[in-house]
Amino acid sequence: MKHLFLTGEKQVGKSTLLRRLLGELGLAPAGFETRLWMQDGMRHGFFFHSFLPVDPYYNDCPCTLRVAPQQTVAVLPVFEQIGVRCLRAAQESDRSVILLDELGKLERDAFGFQREVLACLDGCRPVLGVLQKGDYPLSAAIRAREDVLLLTVTPENRDMLFSQALEALKAALIKAQ
């Protein structure tokens, strides 16, 4: 196993588990996370946040917008321009791990972004990530890779999965050296 991805239902603790792993090992990742955009107590979408220092103009841009109850759309230029730039920088960085939190249906039309995600997986560094549940082309390509360990997080197993994921990540980091 070279890469570790978590999947599971919404709000089950996937991203929290990844942050806990990184904290346990004292790792600052390259890559990105999507951050909730709340305003006046309502969810309006998500921001795209790069872990590497970038011009503030290029960080924390809305990458999804809520357009109706239970309906969100992707802001494709954020994935195709800022996301691609972020992933290329992650591949060139000296950080020991790349974090992709999270991937799913909203990137399905962002083909340049998808190519860079796959390039990260083909690189020499371990990748940690979250895959949304569902059958999306990029998620299916990641699930099909022999170098990916995919763990399903549930409320019942998330604490138990920590030690398994920690050992897998440690082994991947040693192998990458």
Side-chain angles (χ1 to χ4, degrees), residues 3 12 17 22 26 29 42 46-48 58 62 68 91-92 96-97 115 118 120 128 173:
H3 310 298
V12 76
L17 181 57
L22 293 168
M42 293 182 60
F46 286 88
F47 291 104
F48 187 95
Y58 294 110
Q91 293 170 71
E92 295 168 3
S96 58
V97 67
R115 279 190 298 277
L118 295 175
C120 288
L128 298 175
L173 288 166

Side-chain angles (χ1 to χ4, degrees), residues 16-55:
T16 301
L17 181 57
L18 288 182
R19 283 193 299 278
R20 189 173 161 208
L21 290 169
L22 293 168
E24 178 74 18
L25 297 174
L27 297 174
F32 74 92
E33 70 181 352
T34 54
R35 293 183 173 176
L36 185 60
W37 171 18
M38 293 288 289
Q39 188 172 340
D40 299 325
M42 293 182 60
R43 185 179 71 120
H44 288 271
F46 286 88
F47 291 104
F48 187 95
H49 178 78
S50 171
F51 291 113
L52 293 174
V54 294
D55 184 315

